[in-house]
Amino acid sequence: MGAYVQYIYFLPLIVMIAIIFYSSNKRKKEQMKLMDSLKTGDKVVTIGGIKGTIARVNEEDNSVDIKIDNNAKITVIRSAIARKG
């Protein structure tokens, strides 16, 4: 019976590690899905908090041009997009 008690102490640690890996993979998949679905006209928010509308998607260098105002555009990499909206 003494050997089984040893495993009981490690069970919560193993469960916590599994939960961390699962949530991390889920978040990565959601981010990849978001980056692949970006198209011209989508309203987005960057990780820096800048709101705008996508003016152009550049597949070659993995970036997007975001129109902030009538005469203001910025170029950011796709992974800098936090969410749509």
Side-chain angles (χ1 to χ4, degrees):
M1 183 170 154
Y4 294 113
V5 173
Q6 210 172 9
Y7 294 119
I8 291 173
Y9 290 126
F10 289 110
L11 186 61
L13 178 65
I14 292 169
V15 170
M16 287 176 36
I17 291 171
I19 290 171
I20 290 169
F21 281 126
Y22 174 75
S23 64
S24 175
N25 286 338
K26 184 178 176 184
R27 188 176 18 227
K28 284 180 186 177
K29 286 179 185 178
E30 289 174 356
Q31 183 68 17
M32 290 299 292
K33 185 178 176 182
L34 171 69
M35 287 190 296
D36 291 339
S37 71
L38 294 176
K39 61 185 181 301
T40 303
D42 287 346
K43 293 185 181 212
V44 294
V45 178
T46 67
I47 57 176
I50 299 171
K51 289 181 163 184
T53 305
I54 294 180
R56 184 175 68 99
V57 178
N58 189 347
E59 299 288 337
E60 290 179 10
D61 63 352
N62 204 23
S63 66
V64 293
D65 291 342
I66 299 176
K67 182 179 177 183
I68 301 169
D69 197 9
N70 289 336
N71 297 323
K73 289 184 185 176
I74 60 171
T75 302
V76 297
I77 57 174
R78 283 185 176 192
S79 61
I81 304 296
R83 61 183 169 90
K84 288 185 178 180

